[in-house]
Amino acid sequence: MAPLNVGIVGATGAVGKEIIGCLEKCCSFPIDSLRLFGSKRSAGRKIDTSKFGNITIELFSEDSARECDVVFLAVDGDFSRAHAENICKGDDGAIVIDNSSAFRYKEGIPLVVPEINAETTKGKKLIANPNCTTAIGLMAVWPLHQLFGLSKMVMSTYQAASGAGQPCMDELMEGTRSVLNGERDVAENKVFAHPLPFNVIPHIDKFQDNGYTKEEMKVTWETRKICGLADDFPVSCTAVRIPTARAHSESIVALFDTPVDIVAARKALEEAPGVKLVDDIENLKYPMPLTATGQYDVEVGRLRRNIAFDNALEFFVCGDQLLRGAALNAVLVAEAMVKNGSLKSKNAM
Amino acid sequence: MAPLNVGIVGATGAVGKEIIGCLEKCCSFPIDSLRLFGSKRSAGRKIDTSKFGNITIELFSEDSARECDVVFLAVDGDFSRAHAENICKGDDGAIVIDNSSAFRYKEGIPLVVPEINAETTKGKKLIANPNCTTAIGLMAVWPLHQLFGLSKMVMSTYQAASGAGQPCMDELMEGTRSVLNGERDVAENKVFAHPLPFNVIPHIDKFQDNGYTKEEMKVTWETRKICGLADDFPVSCTAVRIPTARAHSESIVALFDTPVDIVAARKALEEAPGVKLVDDIENLKYPMPLTATGQYDVEVGRLRRNIAFDNALEFFVCGDQLLRGAALNAVLVAEAMVKNGSLKSKNAM
């Protein structure tokens, strides 16, 4: 195939950097050029890449972005809302893969975990990348749903500081240091609602009228859309920030329509792309941030028949929220669109 | 009433120290003398208390312990198994309140959270104190069970390092320091199965044949016994160690036999002894280790109607595992036994 012109908007952010990494390390399609776009603040700066050389960040404009074949938006929802549709508009626009939540719930815009619903990208110009918590959890849930038919899901999360961006990560590290050094009994907090060091905060994103947070409802809303389930399909979540640096963990109880078979479940997870079954309790192997950080695969383990419900499994999942939860997923979306013919070089047309 | 002679075995441990604190600060019965018992290693050491003066630790013997009216055992299960029944045996033995898991599941031995089943202590000589995770969670679940009739429960825990003892707490702090100082990429681990700093470990206590850990099954077994539920009552738990110092948190979904009413649930929790409703999301108030540590009351918040099940509530609980989960609960058991006449001074008989 003709190599693609690829653009990243927000290349200096945590997710943007990881997208560059994924394009360098795991991308299966040929790339002609990588263009990085940023704000006035970052335009002109150079980013050194191993595969694409030293790239100068260009000032973002819709017209420049439209010249690309595919553009990854690693920016906030307001930016995406303002520009995404203009970048992909018309036959000469670029395919846009948006990491924000701006378009996730919009009808007609696919919300995609490629291992689950890659086919929904066919012929589309704008694709939404899911919330990290949902994407990580569904990597484990989907293969089991294929076997037994999901009927309900309950999730509790253990989410890392960096899920809220680099300043949050810095606040955790600095705050932890200040407590350990005895400078403060309780760490200072500016970006988090409360001090995170040696604490947990059961509050991520805004509260909704039903008492759930938006982060929790994202798991409900996005599970339904990605898995093609009913609009009232029962999924509940408690989302909790904990003092870890990177990789989100999730405790999941999944109820099914049909009897569960642990051997078949284990086999399905072993064979599922993007999943690493880490479930050898005799040798103390189970999913942990320590081992899941920086890995493309989502770790799944502690798989057991739930003892409170019939036809239910309980398991623990841990995945790198910047990779599976964002950058890697976005690059895999592009790969899937190359495969199904939705993404190709405009030069070759 | 005639003041009591009180003994503590294991007074230099984390729980033993907290029992002294509770006897000093919140105990409603008069105390004639406090005797502290320890091993050869600690016998002869002195412990300074504000209320009972400077106490020299005595070498433990069953005979000395039997001289007390009530003895708190803050030791491991093997020690309790070897000595508890000898200490309380006969009319001249002492009432024994045991913090270990040695007798929790034994028929005829009450397993007690005083706010729930204090009446089971009546006329008994040996009482088992529950696992900290169970005791903390049930403080919230019990008042709701009274209202709506519990039918199933799902719990995921966020457990602090100190739940596993002082060496574990030290390992977390030292390990965190070594990572922050750049001495090590990953902290050393000796007492935990894996490094805990900036990590989570979904494994507490031994694995059972059904894939659950013993810590998880304790929640199932002890919930049934304390709440007087059926032997097969459906409760499931995922127990996870996280890098916090003190106070365990729990995400709980509780299903009920009858329709739930949030206003009534809130009122019941507000009025429940030992519970503090911390649930003012507009002002960012919810249970957290930061606020629950050192508090006698268990914090309950994030109360909401669960969206995946009919007749179900979802909430977040945080309690000091050394207090409600151990020391405070034990002292409240003694208070309850004073009130129901099971514990009185032998001198006064």
Side-chain angles (χ1 to χ4, degrees):
Chain A
M1 66 172 284
L4 300 180
N5 293 312
V6 176
I8 302 174
V9 185
T12 58
V15 172
K17 282 182 202 161
E18 295 294 341
I19 293 175
I20 298 175
C22 290
L23 291 174
E24 292 187 307
K25 284 179 221 143
C26 76
C27 181
S28 65
F29 54 79
I31 295 174
D32 183 30
S33 72
L34 176 63
R35 294 174 69 178
L36 307 179
F37 302 101
S39 62
K40 271 186 197 153
R41 198 164 43 84
S42 52
R45 278 175 54 191
K46 282 168 187 280
I47 290 192
D48 204 23
T49 73
S50 60
K51 191 165 165 184
F52 311 107
N54 201 281
I55 308 177
T56 303
I57 297 176
E58 304 171 52
L59 182 63
F60 169 80
S61 76
E62 290 179 354
D63 285 342
S64 321
R66 285 175 60 80
E67 293 163 6
C68 300
D69 298 309
V70 59
V71 173
F72 296 98
L73 296 185
V75 289
D76 65 27
D78 288 340
F79 186 101
S80 292
R81 256 182 295 274
H83 301 293
E85 287 166 311
N86 293 332
I87 297 170
C88 66
K89 184 170 65 182
D91 287 342
D92 56 343
I95 297 278
V96 172
I97 300 170
D98 179 33
N99 271 282
S100 83
S101 62
F103 298 97
R104 286 184 192 153
Y105 314 119
K106 211 162 170 183
E107 226 184 296
I109 311 249
L111 176 67
V112 179
V113 173
E115 288 83 349
I116 299 177
N117 62 341
E119 78 287 353
T120 60
T121 63
K122 199 159 166 94
K124 297 289 184 177
K125 299 292 298 282
L126 174 55
I127 312 292
N129 216 29
N131 170 266
C132 48
T133 309
T134 313
I136 289 165
L138 290 187
M139 292 304 294
V141 170
W142 180 254
L144 302 173
H145 172 50
Q146 298 308 102
L147 278 181
F148 311 121
L150 191 69
S151 66
K152 283 182 202 281
M153 180 165 98
V154 176
M155 182 191 285
S156 294
T157 74
Y158 304 71
Q159 296 185 229
S162 63
Q166 189 63 41
C168 299
M169 172 91 141
D170 295 343
E171 181 169 300
L172 170 63
M173 294 303 166
E174 277 315 303
T176 306
R177 201 189 307 274
S178 73
V179 170
L180 284 178
N181 290 349
E183 289 161 37
R184 303 179 61 94
D185 282 343
V186 170
E188 271 188 303
N189 62 301
K190 286 177 187 162
V191 283
F192 286 116
H194 301 274
L196 185 58
F198 305 112
N199 193 26
V200 314
I201 308 175
H203 170 201
I204 302 178
D205 210 333
K206 297 198 183 95
F207 282 104
Q208 310 292 295
D209 288 342
N210 63 1
Y212 285 82
T213 61
K214 196 167 179 195
E215 180 78 4
E216 291 161 353
M217 290 310 298
K218 282 176 181 173
V219 173
T220 301
W221 297 328
E222 298 184 19
T223 295
R224 291 168 181 165
K225 183 163 178 179
I226 294 167
C227 296
L229 299 164
D231 284 349
D232 60 352
F233 189 88
V235 172
S236 72
C237 177
T238 292
V240 181
R241 188 76 67 192
I242 64 164
T244 52
R246 185 163 162 173
H248 292 345
S249 306
E250 299 166 10
S251 157
I252 299 176
V253 175
L255 282 64
F256 297 97
D257 290 324
T258 61
V260 295
D261 172 339
I262 282 278
V263 176
R266 195 174 297 275
K267 186 160 176 284
L269 290 169
E270 266 168 357
E271 291 169 358
V275 170
K276 183 177 180 190
L277 186 66
V278 182
D279 197 20
D280 177 5
I281 55 181
E282 282 179 27
N283 292 303
L284 309 179
K285 304 272 187 209
Y286 24 71
M288 296 190 300
L290 196 66
T291 46
T293 294
Q295 302 298 319
Y296 290 150
D297 287 346
V298 168
E299 295 187 345
V300 184
R302 294 294 325 273
L303 180 69
R304 57 210 193 272
R305 191 181 289 275
N306 177 277
I307 52 170
F309 294 95
D310 293 333
N311 305 343
L313 294 170
E314 187 156 4
F315 43 95
F316 200 72
V317 175
C318 192
D320 189 309
Q321 86 283 4
L322 294 176
L323 294 173
R324 167 54 62 184
L328 175 70
N329 197 79
V331 171
L332 293 176
V333 166
E335 285 191 1
M337 295 183 78
V338 166
K339 268 184 215 145
N340 70 24
S342 306
L343 169 57
K344 48 194 163 200
S345 166
K346 284 185 278 195
N347 293 336
M349 286 191 228
Chain B
M1 66 173 283
L4 301 180
N5 294 312
V6 176
I8 302 174
V9 185
T12 56
V15 172
K17 282 182 203 162
E18 295 295 341
I19 293 176
I20 298 174
C22 291
L23 291 174
E24 291 187 308
K25 284 179 222 146
C26 76
C27 182
S28 65
F29 55 80
I31 294 175
D32 183 32
S33 74
L34 176 63
R35 294 175 69 178
L36 307 179
F37 301 101
S39 61
K40 272 186 195 153
R41 199 164 44 84
S42 51
R45 279 174 54 192
K46 283 169 186 280
I47 291 193
D48 204 23
T49 74
S50 60
K51 191 165 165 184
F52 310 107
N54 202 282
I55 308 177
T56 303
I57 298 176
E58 302 172 52
L59 182 63
F60 169 79
S61 76
E62 290 179 354
D63 285 341
S64 321
R66 284 174 61 81
E67 293 163 7
C68 300
D69 297 309
V70 58
V71 173
F72 296 98
L73 296 186
V75 287
D76 64 27
D78 288 339
F79 187 100
S80 292
R81 254 182 297 273
H83 302 291
E85 286 166 310
N86 293 332
I87 298 171
C88 66
K89 185 169 65 181
D91 286 343
D92 56 342
I95 298 277
V96 172
I97 300 170
D98 179 32
N99 271 282
S100 83
S101 62
F103 298 98
R104 286 184 192 152
Y105 314 119
K106 212 164 170 182
E107 226 184 296
I109 309 250
L111 176 66
V112 179
V113 173
E115 289 83 350
I116 299 176
N117 61 341
E119 78 287 353
T120 60
T121 63
K122 199 160 166 96
K124 297 288 184 177
K125 300 293 296 282
L126 174 55
I127 313 292
N129 216 31
N131 170 265
C132 48
T133 309
T134 313
I136 289 166
L138 291 187
M139 292 304 294
V141 170
W142 179 255
L144 302 172
H145 172 50
Q146 298 308 101
L147 279 181
F148 311 122
L150 190 69
S151 65
K152 283 181 202 283
M153 180 165 98
V154 175
M155 182 191 286
S156 293
T157 75
Y158 304 71
Q159 297 184 227
S162 64
Q166 188 63 40
C168 298
M169 172 91 140
D170 295 341
E171 181 169 300
L172 170 62
M173 294 304 166
E174 276 315 303
T176 305
R177 199 189 308 272
S178 73
V179 171
L180 285 177
N181 290 349
E183 290 161 36
R184 303 179 60 93
D185 283 343
V186 170
E188 269 188 302
N189 64 301
K190 285 178 188 161
V191 283
F192 285 117
H194 301 275
L196 185 58
F198 305 112
N199 194 26
V200 314
I201 308 175
H203 170 201
I204 302 178
D205 210 334
K206 296 197 184 94
F207 282 105
Q208 309 292 294
D209 287 343
N210 63 1
Y212 284 83
T213 61
K214 195 167 177 193
E215 180 79 3
E216 291 161 354
M217 290 310 299
K218 282 176 181 173
V219 173
T220 301
W221 297 329
E222 299 185 19
T223 295
R224 292 169 181 166
K225 182 164 178 177
I226 295 167
C227 296
L229 300 164
D231 284 348
D232 60 351
F233 189 88
V235 172
S236 71
C237 176
T238 292
V240 181
R241 188 77 66 192
I242 64 163
T244 52
R246 188 163 161 172
H248 292 344
S249 305
E250 300 166 10
S251 158
I252 298 177
V253 176
L255 283 65
F256 297 98
D257 289 325
T258 61
V260 295
D261 172 340
I262 283 279
V263 176
R266 194 174 298 274
K267 185 159 176 284
L269 289 169
E270 266 167 357
E271 291 170 358
V275 170
K276 184 177 180 191
L277 186 67
V278 182
D279 196 20
D280 177 5
I281 56 181
E282 282 178 28
N283 292 304
L284 310 181
K285 305 269 187 210
Y286 25 71
M288 295 191 299
L290 197 65
T291 46
T293 293
Q295 303 296 319
Y296 290 151
D297 286 347
V298 167
E299 295 187 346
V300 185
R302 294 296 323 275
L303 180 69
R304 58 209 192 273
R305 193 181 287 275
N306 176 277
I307 52 170
F309 294 94
D310 293 334
N311 305 343
L313 294 170
E314 188 156 4
F315 44 95
F316 200 72
V317 174
C318 192
D320 189 307
Q321 86 282 3
L322 294 177
L323 293 174
R324 168 52 63 184
L328 175 70
N329 197 79
V331 170
L332 293 176
V333 166
E335 285 191 4
M337 294 183 79
V338 166
K339 267 183 217 148
N340 70 24
S342 307
L343 169 56
K344 49 193 163 201
S345 167
K346 284 185 278 195
N347 293 338
M349 283 191 229

